[in-house]
Amino acid sequence: MKKHLLSGILAAVLVVGCATNPVTGKKNLNFVSNSELFPSSFQQYSTFIAENKVITGTPDAKLVETVGGKIKKAAEKYLTFLGQSQYLTDYRWEYKLVDNKEVNAWCMPGGKIVVYSGILPITQNESGLATVMGHEVSHALANHGAQRMSAAQLQQIGGAALGAATSGKSESTQQIFAQAYGLGSEVGVMLPFSRSNETEADKIGLTLMAIAGYNPDDAIAFWTRMSAKSGASGTPEFMSTHPADATRIANLKSLIPEAKATALKVGVIR
């Protein structure tokens, strides 16, 4: 009896916790509103910036600012085209280059973008950097952070701890924020969820890139270089939070025509 009751409550929570994302048009699991998520995001970002070396005044730092500004304008133009311009009202855009040898970049919910210097030898040029920054901004626009946090909340529920999903969310947000941006914990559950996020961010990122005036075909060159960097001994796809390089490149090639067509409808930024 208790098992059936709990299953019914879980089903109800899942229904209530689904929200339609204005960028993708899809209903996704989401218990965490931007009004709750953004303050935590900005706090995490501020802490990171204070504890790491931000590069300023160099050509690379200026390029990050330039590309970030173009991607921001592209996002605003795209959301206006979708009739969702209000969606970005609470965004507080920043673009920082950080001295770190790791091949990485990220965008926190609310528009805080960090590019690690270690990825620049692979981006190589402005369009390569636009590929990365467009992709990372797309994670934020598609609310992937909130979705991962909501999924993590459900994992924490277990059996009897159902109330954790619907109350005390501020404390819960702090506890699982890092987990939401890290590796999933279960093969077949969190990992495919993360891979679907990556593919969705690729699609939106190509569109932003095209609207910003970059050629989305250049994304193929970047991911080919990334594939060469990771090498043949990379993590198997079924154990990875990202699609295999060959899968990603094939997906990108199929998505590029749509990205170009959408950019023509929206209007390319010059």
Side-chain angles (χ1 to χ4, degrees):
M1 182 70 176
K2 290 182 179 180
K3 181 178 179 180
H4 291 305
L5 178 60
L6 182 57
S7 297
I9 296 174
L10 279 169
V13 169
L14 287 171
V15 171
V16 173
C18 285
T20 300
N21 180 268
V23 180
T24 65
K26 297 178 181 178
K27 283 192 173 183
N28 300 111
L29 181 68
N30 190 350
F31 297 130
V32 188
S33 66
N34 284 348
S35 63
E36 181 177 15
L37 182 61
F38 284 9
S40 298
S41 171
F42 297 158
Q43 181 181 355
Q44 294 279 337
Y45 170 80
S46 296
T47 299
F48 176 87
I49 292 299
E51 294 176 351
N52 289 271
K53 182 181 178 181
V54 177
I55 301 172
T56 60
T58 68
D60 286 338
K62 291 177 182 177
L63 185 61
V64 168
E65 287 276 352
T66 296
V67 175
K70 289 182 179 180
I71 295 296
K72 173 205 170 197
K73 289 179 181 178
E76 292 172 343
K77 196 165 188 178
Y78 187 39
L79 268 295
T80 298
F81 171 77
L82 295 175
Q84 301 287 347
S85 58
Q86 77 288 345
Y87 183 63
L88 298 176
T89 300
D90 295 325
Y91 270 60
R92 300 292 179 264
W93 297 94
E94 286 188 41
Y95 335 97
K96 301 293 185 184
L97 177 62
V98 168
D99 186 9
N100 190 311
K101 294 181 179 180
E102 184 178 346
V103 178
N104 199 12
W106 41 261
C107 178
M108 299 289 273
K112 305 297 187 182
I113 305 168
V114 167
V115 175
Y116 289 12
S117 58
I119 202 171
L120 297 182
I122 303 175
T123 59
Q124 291 188 0
N125 50 48
E126 186 170 342
S127 62
L129 186 57
T131 301
V132 172
M133 296 181 77
H135 172 88
E136 295 304 327
V137 166
S138 296
H139 278 306
L141 296 180
N143 278 343
H144 289 160
Q147 291 172 34
R148 293 182 185 188
M149 293 175 75
S150 298
Q153 285 180 330
L154 283 182
Q155 283 189 314
Q156 288 184 343
I157 289 171
L162 181 61
T166 54
S167 64
K169 289 194 294 184
S170 294
E171 181 179 355
S172 177
T173 297
Q174 293 292 340
Q175 291 174 345
I176 66 178
F177 202 99
Q179 179 183 349
Y181 287 88
L183 294 175
S185 59
E186 294 182 18
V187 175
V189 181
M190 291 294 285
L191 297 183
F193 179 72
S194 295
R195 287 200 298 272
S196 70
N197 284 173
E198 289 297 322
T199 300
E200 193 166 65
D202 281 344
K203 180 178 180 179
I204 301 168
L206 286 173
T207 300
L208 295 181
M209 189 179 175
I211 296 171
Y214 299 102
N215 185 352
D217 288 318
D218 292 341
I220 304 300
F222 166 77
W223 285 111
T224 299
R225 294 193 295 270
M226 182 67 85
S227 176
K229 172 70 175 178
S230 61
S233 59
T235 305
E237 182 173 6
F238 75 94
M239 285 291 291
S240 172
T241 58
H242 291 62
D245 293 330
T247 301
R248 168 170 258 149
I249 290 171
N251 286 341
L252 287 168
K253 288 179 178 178
S254 70
L255 293 170
I256 285 173
E258 182 181 350
K260 290 180 177 179
T262 301
L264 287 175
K265 293 178 183 177
V266 176
V268 177
I269 296 172
R270 299 296 184 187

